[in-house]
Amino acid sequence: MLLTTEEVGVDGWQYLILMGACVLITLPLEFVLGARVYRSPRRLALAMAPMLVVFIVWDVVGILRGHWSYSDRFTTGIMLGVMPLEELVFFLVIPLCGLLTYEAVGRVAALIRSTGRLRWRWPDGIVREQEEKADA
């Protein structure tokens, strides 16, 4: 059930809006630089699954033991068991943005080391094309 801003208050949506902004800001890394994170959903799932399991268990244990809690003012109130929706979204978005950044930096480093003309090509993003030598 999606709650309205009147039920939650505008502050309750700030965290989810921030997570959405993180995804939007890093999205060009996939399409402009060719990070290839979204294009490999199986690899993405395999990379994120162990982290999700560990951190969700860690978070739930922390909540149940009273080590931390979440402000009703800054969350939507949508709960997944004892964990707020925003916490799960955080565990998905931040590693995803980290993977995008890591892969984009690797692509840029490879582009810097290579020679040729820079071009943008779908779906690879920015690539180096070798210039053909004219026969004399």
Side-chain angles (χ1 to χ4, degrees):
M1 174 174 99
L2 193 58
L3 304 175
T4 65
T5 54
E6 291 80 29
E7 294 170 322
V8 174
V10 175
D11 286 343
W13 295 100
Q14 286 181 7
Y15 198 77
L16 289 178
I17 291 168
L18 177 63
M19 292 295 103
C22 289
V23 170
L24 287 176
I25 288 168
T26 58
L27 191 59
L29 299 175
E30 176 76 11
F31 299 107
V32 175
L33 294 176
R36 296 177 180 247
V37 171
Y38 292 121
R39 290 179 239 178
S40 305
R42 185 172 182 272
R43 288 178 59 199
L44 176 60
L46 288 171
M48 290 185 61
M51 175 275 313
L52 282 171
V53 170
V54 168
F55 282 111
I56 288 171
V57 169
W58 176 72
D59 202 60
V60 168
V61 169
I63 293 168
L64 292 174
R65 293 187 71 190
H67 292 295
W68 55 82
S69 62
Y70 299 92
S71 169
D72 292 336
R73 178 178 172 201
F74 296 108
T75 59
T76 58
I78 300 170
M79 300 296 286
L80 306 169
V82 297
M83 185 172 64
L85 171 67
E86 291 80 1
E87 192 69 358
L88 177 62
V89 171
F90 174 85
F91 289 143
L92 291 169
V93 168
I94 299 305
L96 175 63
C97 293
L99 281 170
L100 280 164
T101 303
Y102 177 81
E103 292 296 327
V105 167
R107 291 273 298 165
V108 168
L111 288 170
I112 289 170
R113 288 190 304 265
S114 63
T115 60
R117 184 174 174 197
L118 285 175
R119 299 197 60 145
W120 186 84
R121 182 176 60 210
W122 178 259
D124 300 319
I126 298 175
V127 295
R128 288 257 190 207
E129 290 185 351
Q130 300 300 321
E131 298 171 4
E132 295 179 23
K133 295 181 181 179
D135 292 330

